[in-house]
Amino acid sequence: MCGIIGIVLSSSKALSKNLGRVIRECLKNLEYRGYDSVGFAIVSSEGLIIRKSKGKIDEVVSKLSFDEFDGIYGVGHTRWATHGRPSDVNAHPQTDCSGKVAVVHNGIIENYMELRDALISRGHEFRSETDTEVIAHLIEEYKRLGMSSYDAFKKAVTHLRGSYAVAVIDVDDPGKIFFARNTSPLVIGISREAKFLSSDIPAFLDYSRDVIVLNDDELGYISKDAIVIEKLVDKDLRLEFDRVPPKTEFIDYRLRVRHIDWTPEMAKKGGYPHFMLKEIHEQPRAVADTLISISKELDNIVKLLSKADRVLLIGSGTSYHAALVGSLLLNELAYVKSHALISSEVRWFINSIDDDDVVIAISQSGETIDTLLAVRDVRGKGALTIALTNVIDSTLARESHLSIYTRAGPEIGVAATKTYVAQVATLSYLAISLGGYMGTLDSNKASELKSELSLIPEVMSTTISTCEPRARVISGVIGTKHSMYYLGRGLGLPTSMEGALKLKEIAYIHAEAYPAGESKHGPIALVDEGFPVAFTVLGDEAELIVSNVEEMKARGAWTLAVVPKGFEKSVKLFDYIFELRRISYELAPIVYIIPYQLLAYYTAVTLGYDPDKPRNLAKTVTVV
Ligand code: M6R
């Protein structure tokens, strides 16, 4: 999970800035993918310049004077360590023995040990602990055997097993950046002044909105005058070090160029101190745009779901919480047999999956490897797969039979916020439509819920402005605690789970969610004077929760609640409340998560943490 960038300028004056500065800007936009070390390689009139160091981008760029370096083409990298601890030597680019080949890589080369041993026995000297370094030495080895730089690169790629998006400079073939992709995302951006390679589109949105999304097993190069894309026809993992170039098919890139409508502003902070806060405030728009777009797209999917024997919803982290909301709504409104599964656990259910099942795979990024692997598994069993993702043409979208897109815009903060509410709004719309179509939901009720859904963005705006000051105050209390429970029933449970995930993820406070009724079966043992417990009350289930609150209070718990206005017992039961507009229980998860997001955000800030870049996490998790 790293961010890679490659840039070839059309002339030395293009973009009117030093190339080092452009690389720095693009890496900053990719920082959400990893931030333990940073580096670049630029080819200038003086030759190949490489600078890299452990640390976050802002620290490293001034230390290494990124902005001062100029050249015509170069690559950059922001790292999230997998093989080898964060250190200067493990930072990318990684180079060969001659120092002519510089490689930046996102992903994991699974067979790197075997490749490394083979290369060492042929005299190569390794400097880092990374898996990436084998790529540079493999290229060098094939050049030593007499192959051209580009053929040597292609040949090297045929030996790589695992996931990779790589960008490579070889000064022996000037002006080109070679690239290859398998499993890890890689896109090309095109403009009059430059060509870009990147792990994600927001990296170069300031300069280009014409993109080509690369597929698995594609490789090639960009240069001032050319874009070459080839598809590897056979991958030869055997290491025989022969000089036979791999078989490939050429691809006409012009047929693959797509114009995307994201603006650069969408990927910038827009005056907010953090992306996460900006993205919380963007939620009403994210939901509104998503609802407008899906209302035209879902008819066909509703018909398909009506024929399914079972609908499984899968996802990881926050996307799994959206899956839980979706499965509860499908059961309740459309009487469909539906279950939510954590993507990485799908394999344990695989024997019972067949071609009567429909699997909705949820992932904001569309690149989460656990979800991709699960989709491949269930496709293998004949299930129809539908991607629900925020990224057009992401791997998940391309590997699923059908796709539904949320329109949240790029999400940069590592903690998912606006993409979650967009996912939940989509699944709510889907369940209401399916219930209406199947007649399990009275048609008047279905229309009422849909009209109410269209007003939800407005309710969200008010909720954000009323909850924000309160979240600031309560964060002062939560910041003093070490552990916390979030309890809820029905749709209040996934909302609680998502609230707990947000708190632990960015404020580093242990937080667990339980079904409120289950709390007395064990969790209550931890509760003593001042132990914080948050209750999620969405509406209909309020009375059922009262006794659970009393049980906690009797043990001295400090209680907080997210409740609908008019719940009379609130004052007596809770120490602090977020009172929200009462809306239909079925739609409440879209709105009632907001106070928890704000609470987590302000607690993290109060404690001095950066909510956009929580430790040990990356925005897109492309490792199993
Ligand atoms: O891109 P995805 O939705 O597939 O990501 C899944 C999880 O990695 C993600 O939701 C993660 O849990 C977030 N950091 C939560 O805020």
Side-chain angles (χ1 to χ4, degrees):
M1 254 130 21
C2 305
I4 69 170
I5 183 83
I7 305 173
V8 181
L9 301 179
S10 58
S11 74
S12 57
K13 302 223 165 33
L15 304 181
S16 318
K17 297 174 186 169
N18 281 351
L19 183 60
R21 178 157 166 208
V22 184
I23 290 179
R24 186 254 292 168
E25 289 171 358
C26 293
L27 286 179
K28 188 74 192 155
N29 294 336
L30 287 174
E31 199 181 11
Y32 70 92
R33 300 181 63 85
Y35 32 81
D36 61 48
S37 30
V38 189
F40 69 81
I42 285 178
V43 182
S44 75
S45 48
E46 287 144 38
L48 182 65
I49 301 165
I50 296 181
R51 296 285 184 277
K52 56 184 193 168
S53 171
K54 178 182 164 189
K56 290 189 180 171
I57 293 184
D58 290 339
E59 299 153 22
V60 172
V61 287
S62 51
K63 182 168 129 194
L64 301 183
S65 314
F66 261 55
D67 291 11
E68 286 167 25
F69 292 93
D70 202 8
I72 294 280
Y73 65 108
V75 295
H77 189 267
T78 178
R79 180 168 188 248
W80 187 83
T82 57
H83 292 65
R85 67 195 188 287
S87 69
D88 292 356
V89 76
N90 288 336
H92 298 204
Q94 291 295 325
T95 49
D96 63 339
C97 303
S98 70
K100 290 178 170 183
V101 178
V103 180
V104 292
H105 164 222
N106 167 35
I108 290 179
I109 308 300
E110 288 166 10
N111 57 339
Y112 85 101
M113 287 298 279
E114 183 195 321
L115 297 172
R116 191 179 161 111
D117 289 348
L119 289 158
I120 289 173
S121 69
R122 295 172 82 89
H124 292 262
E125 281 177 26
F126 280 76
R127 286 175 290 264
S128 77
E129 301 160 298
T130 66
D131 50 342
T132 305
E133 195 179 339
V134 295
I135 304 172
H137 292 281
L138 271 173
I139 297 170
E140 180 176 43
E141 181 61 23
Y142 278 110
K143 282 166 62 186
R144 279 184 192 166
L145 292 172
M147 294 181 95
S148 70
S149 293
Y150 183 48
D151 278 347
F153 166 72
K154 290 199 283 186
K155 190 77 180 172
V157 171
T158 64
H159 298 310
L160 306 180
R161 193 173 68 224
S163 57
Y164 49 83
V166 287
V168 176
I169 287 175
D170 181 350
V171 286
D172 284 337
D173 195 353
K176 292 178 184 153
I177 302 178
F178 304 146
F179 62 80
R181 168 206 158 128
N182 186 46
T183 308
S184 303
L186 190 60
V187 288
I188 296 176
I190 308 166
S191 79
R192 219 165 28 86
E193 294 194 277
K195 297 190 184 73
F196 299 84
L197 280 168
S198 171
S199 303
D200 202 356
I201 296 165
F204 53 71
L205 267 182
D206 275 330
Y207 304 106
S208 163
R209 282 194 262 163
D210 291 317
V211 306
I212 302 167
V213 179
L214 293 161
N215 293 326
D216 282 351
D217 292 331
E218 288 181 348
L219 46 67
Y221 63 84
I222 54 171
S223 67
K224 184 161 83 69
D225 306 309
I227 296 174
V228 171
I229 305 177
E230 300 178 54
K231 173 120 192 146
L232 270 178
V233 176
D234 56 355
K235 281 188 93 172
D236 185 1
L237 291 167
R238 287 167 310 145
L239 258 184
E240 287 179 356
F241 292 109
D242 60 46
R243 288 169 42 190
V244 185
K247 284 204 195 88
T248 60
E249 281 164 6
F250 279 88
I251 290 168
D252 185 348
Y253 79 85
R254 290 166 304 181
L255 304 176
R256 297 260 297 271
V257 180
R258 294 186 58 153
H259 185 76
I260 51 139
D261 57 7
W262 292 355
T263 61
E265 290 65 39
M266 285 167 121
K268 294 209 172 101
K269 282 190 198 160
Y272 288 93
H274 298 102
F275 281 111
M276 182 176 174
L277 190 60
K278 173 179 175 253
E279 286 158 5
I280 290 172
H281 280 264
E282 284 173 346
Q283 294 187 113
R285 190 204 48 74
V287 169
D289 288 357
T290 300
L291 289 173
I292 291 167
S293 129
I294 56 161
S295 57
K296 298 177 209 137
E297 289 170 3
L298 290 191
D299 286 358
N300 179 33
I301 287 176
V302 165
K303 284 184 197 136
L304 284 168
L305 292 185
S306 72
K307 293 185 199 125
D309 179 41
R310 196 166 57 148
V311 179
L312 299 172
L313 295 101
I314 66 170
S316 302
T318 291
S319 292
Y320 168 65
H321 299 152
L324 284 168
V325 174
S327 74
L328 282 165
L329 288 175
L330 286 171
N331 277 286
E332 188 178 321
L333 300 180
Y335 299 8
V336 167
K337 277 186 261 166
S338 175
H339 306 280
L341 295 174
I342 291 174
S343 300
S344 57
E345 292 290 304
V346 166
R347 67 186 66 209
W348 312 110
F349 293 84
I350 203 71
N351 289 345
S352 70
I353 293 173
D354 61 29
D355 55 7
D356 289 327
D357 291 320
V358 174
V359 175
I360 302 181
I362 307 170
S363 168
Q364 75 79 22
S365 62
E367 304 293 344
T368 299
I369 193 71
D370 288 330
T371 307
L372 289 173
L373 292 175
V375 163
R376 288 173 197 162
D377 284 351
V378 300
R379 272 194 80 143
K381 299 287 289 185
L384 179 84
T385 52
I386 303 173
L388 172 55
T389 178
N390 196 46
V391 181
I392 290 175
D393 270 357
S394 56
T395 309
L396 182 66
R398 284 179 294 123
E399 293 201 8
S400 303
H401 295 101
L402 296 165
S403 300
I404 309 170
Y405 290 112
T406 50
R407 307 281 168 170
E411 187 175 71
I412 309 297
V414 165
T417 52
K418 61 177 179 169
T419 53
Y420 171 71
V421 290
Q423 290 166 348
V424 173
T426 304
L427 294 165
S428 308
Y429 186 93
L430 191 63
I432 298 165
S433 304
L434 188 60
Y437 182 77
M438 294 179 67
T440 51
L441 188 62
D442 174 73
S443 60
N444 288 336
K445 175 76 178 163
S447 310
E448 271 168 39
L449 281 174
K450 277 195 181 167
S451 319
E452 193 181 348
L453 187 54
S454 67
L455 299 176
I456 286 289
E458 217 179 294
V459 182
M460 296 175 83
S461 295
T462 324
T463 305
I464 294 168
S465 46
T466 53
C467 290
E468 197 163 356
R470 199 145 185 80
R472 270 202 209 103
V473 174
I474 302 177
S475 69
V477 182
I478 304 290
T480 64
K481 310 284 182 183
H482 301 291
S483 190
M484 180 162 176
Y485 283 146
Y486 286 67
L487 306 182
R489 287 176 180 251
L491 290 167
L493 177 60
T495 308
S496 299
M497 291 167 80
E498 178 57 10
L501 177 64
K502 290 288 93 98
L503 189 75
K504 72 181 130 203
E505 187 177 23
I506 60 169
Y508 313 143
I509 293 173
H510 172 251
E512 266 186 286
Y514 275 96
E518 186 68 5
S519 57
K520 57 189 176 293
H521 295 287
I524 200 166
L526 277 189
V527 176
D528 58 7
E529 204 55 41
F531 188 96
V533 185
F535 288 87
T536 312
V537 184
L538 303 182
D540 298 351
E541 82 296 18
E543 288 304 328
L544 281 172
I545 285 180
V546 173
S547 55
N548 306 132
V549 186
E550 299 285 14
E551 287 150 15
M552 291 293 164
K553 282 182 79 77
R555 271 107 194 145
W558 178 89
T559 55
L560 162 72
V562 176
V563 287
K565 274 207 177 86
F567 180 46
E568 284 164 6
K569 297 186 177 137
S570 290
V571 178
K572 182 174 149 273
L573 286 174
F574 304 114
D575 294 306
Y576 277 89
I577 52 170
F578 286 100
E579 248 190 345
L580 271 59
R581 183 154 139 193
R582 188 175 282 273
I583 51 179
S584 290
Y585 163 80
E586 294 83 354
L587 305 180
I590 313 170
V591 180
Y592 280 46
I593 189 59
I594 290 171
Y596 287 149
Q597 296 168 334
L598 288 165
L599 193 60
Y601 171 80
Y602 280 107
T603 307
V605 172
T606 303
L607 294 174
Y609 302 129
D610 178 351
D612 285 343
K613 298 185 213 77
R615 67 187 179 209
N616 305 336
L617 294 177
K619 182 71 180 160
T620 308
V621 183
T622 53
V623 290
V624 283

